[in-house]
Amino acid sequence: MSTCSNGTPNRAIQCTVTNCANHCQSESYCGLSSIRVGTHESNPTKEQCTDCMSFRMK
C-alpha cells in the first residue's frame, strides 16, 4: 500500500526527497500528475542548478 498524500504514485516521476509533501513515503515516486522544473541560476550549466518547483515542505 502506498502512502502518497496525493493518491497514487506517478511512476513516471521518480523522487527521493522524503521531506516533500508530494513524495510517496513507501516508494521513491512523486504523487503529482506532473511537476515543474526550474532553476535558481541565470545561466544553468549543471544539474545542481535545477530545482523541482513543485516541492512543498511537509
Side-chain angles (χ1 to χ4, degrees):
M1 175 103 192
S2 175
T3 54
C4 278
S5 62
N6 296 332
T8 306
N10 183 339
R11 302 209 186 285
I13 306 174
Q14 296 180 10
C15 180
T16 59
V17 183
T18 58
N19 62 333
C20 179
N22 300 313
H23 185 265
C24 297
Q25 296 306 306
S26 61
E27 303 178 55
S28 291
Y29 295 102
C30 182
L32 297 175
S33 59
S34 66
I35 62 167
R36 183 172 158 243
V37 177
T39 183
H40 56 273
E41 302 284 335
S42 59
N43 184 26
T45 58
K46 300 176 184 170
E47 66 183 58
Q48 294 90 339
C49 299
T50 60
D51 304 294
C52 178
M53 305 307 279
S54 301
F55 173 82
R56 281 187 22 244
M57 188 70 164
K58 279 187 187 173

